[in-house]
Structure formats: C-alpha cells, structure tokens
Amino acid sequence: MAIIHRATLVPSKAELVAAWLPGRPWFDGRAASVRPVAAYRFDDPAGEVGIESHLLDVDGRLVHVPLTYRGAPLPGAEEWLVGTMEHSVLGTRWVYDGPGDPVYRDEVTRVVREAGTQVRMFVETPEGPEEREPTMRVRGSGGAAPGASVPVVVRFPEPGAAAAGGATLTGTWPGQEEPVVLVHLATPGA
C-alpha cells in the first residue's frame, strides 16, 4: 500500500525527467515536451524508498521511466541520480533511475516472479486515507527461474509488440487494453 501526500514538488516529476532524459545514452532527443500518461507504484518492504514508474509522452514517443525517491543519497549510485526535488511534506528527495536502485530491482523482480501487481494507493486527507484509482495496471508473469533475476526495463514500450516469452511485467492503461511489456527478467551473464 502506497501513501501519497498532498504535496507540492519543486521541480515537478515531469520537469525533473525532462532535464535528465537528454543526457541518457539510451535516449536520443531533446525532451522538449514531457507529458505524463500513466504511472504505477510498488512498495519498499522497509518503507523507506518510494518506487514509482512513469509512462510519459516525450515529444510524441512513449517512454517508460521507473523512479525511486529517497530521503538521503544512495551511496555509489551517482550515475543513476536523476536529481533532487523539494517535497513540501517530506523535504528533500533524491530521485534515482530505478534500474540503478537495488530496492527497485528487488521489488520488480519479486512482482514478476510472484505474478504480482502494482500496490493500492491512498491519498492522505483530513478525514483519513482515501483510495486512489490507479492510472495503469501492471502484472508479473510469474514462473521465473531463480537465476533469472536481472530486470531489464523496456524504455520505449511498443503497444502491439509481441512478448518474447520469459518472465515479464506487462501493463495496461486507458486507451491501451492489450498488455504491453514494460520489464523482462534476464539471466545474469546472458
């Protein structure tokens, strides 16, 4: 279960990602226009790290960006740092590209192996937590062998592209009812 605070973020998630994308070796573009399409969340079992993956329309192209949010820098992960933002409730948050954060890797691997889904989201209100409908739904395929544990993020998900088989995380969102592969598990060293 994810608890979402009613908060102001500076910069916004879209602004932070727009500034970061052009420097990525896997991204070829300017990111002049970044518009949120949908998002899903997983839980950190320790309750310390926020895990949220975003589907974004970047200059007309669908881009998948998993992010983690931390209350302190992640040692040794400077190359994965997207940037920092000020959260009006939680203070400074260090934002990382999910594949570089061990909490993201462990959790997405677990969800894929256990045929899990995104977590339920609740927004804090003066009357108590209110459940928020997800903007997208994801599901792990299950059946992954213990050795298949390296999550590979599909940065440019392609609706209509067939899954290559194996252990995957797929997602659907309004207007995209056919599941799209977002992550697949690879065997280490393969």
Side-chain angles (χ1 to χ4, degrees):
M1 172 178 77
I3 300 293
I4 300 169
H5 300 278
R6 292 182 187 255
T8 302
L9 301 174
V10 178
S12 71
K13 295 170 191 176
E15 290 168 336
L16 193 65
V17 170
W20 169 79
L21 273 176
R24 301 306 93 211
W26 49 265
F27 185 80
D28 60 345
R30 289 187 17 239
S33 170
V34 176
R35 183 182 58 80
V37 173
Y40 61 96
R41 289 182 178 256
F42 295 140
D43 270 341
D44 169 14
E48 295 296 318
V49 178
I51 307 169
E52 183 179 35
S53 295
H54 300 269
L55 280 182
L56 304 163
D57 178 320
V58 180
D59 300 331
R61 185 167 48 166
L62 191 63
V63 180
H64 180 216
V65 181
L67 297 175
T68 59
Y69 309 104
R70 292 175 164 268
L74 176 61
E78 293 78 18
E79 71 180 278
W80 299 98
L81 182 66
V82 174
T84 59
M85 63 173 50
E86 291 302 317
H87 188 289
S88 62
V89 175
L90 301 174
T92 303
R93 307 306 288 168
W94 281 259
V95 182
Y96 290 90
D97 186 19
D101 193 315
V103 173
Y104 170 81
R105 291 192 308 263
D106 289 350
E107 195 56 18
V108 74
T109 298
R110 183 197 64 75
V111 169
V112 170
R113 284 188 176 154
E114 296 177 6
T117 64
Q118 75 282 344
V119 296
R120 294 171 62 196
M121 296 182 297
F122 292 85
V123 177
E124 286 287 347
T125 71
E127 295 78 34
E130 283 184 11
E131 189 161 6
R132 176 187 279 180
E133 264 308 300
T135 57
M136 72 181 293
R137 299 191 184 279
V138 297
R139 174 158 307 278
S141 61
S149 62
V150 178
V152 177
V153 172
V154 177
R155 295 295 190 167
F156 303 101
E158 295 184 38
T168 61
L169 179 75
T170 59
T172 60
W173 56 94
Q176 180 58 49
E177 301 309 317
E178 182 73 24
V180 175
V181 176
L182 301 170
V183 175
H184 64 88
L185 295 187
T187 303

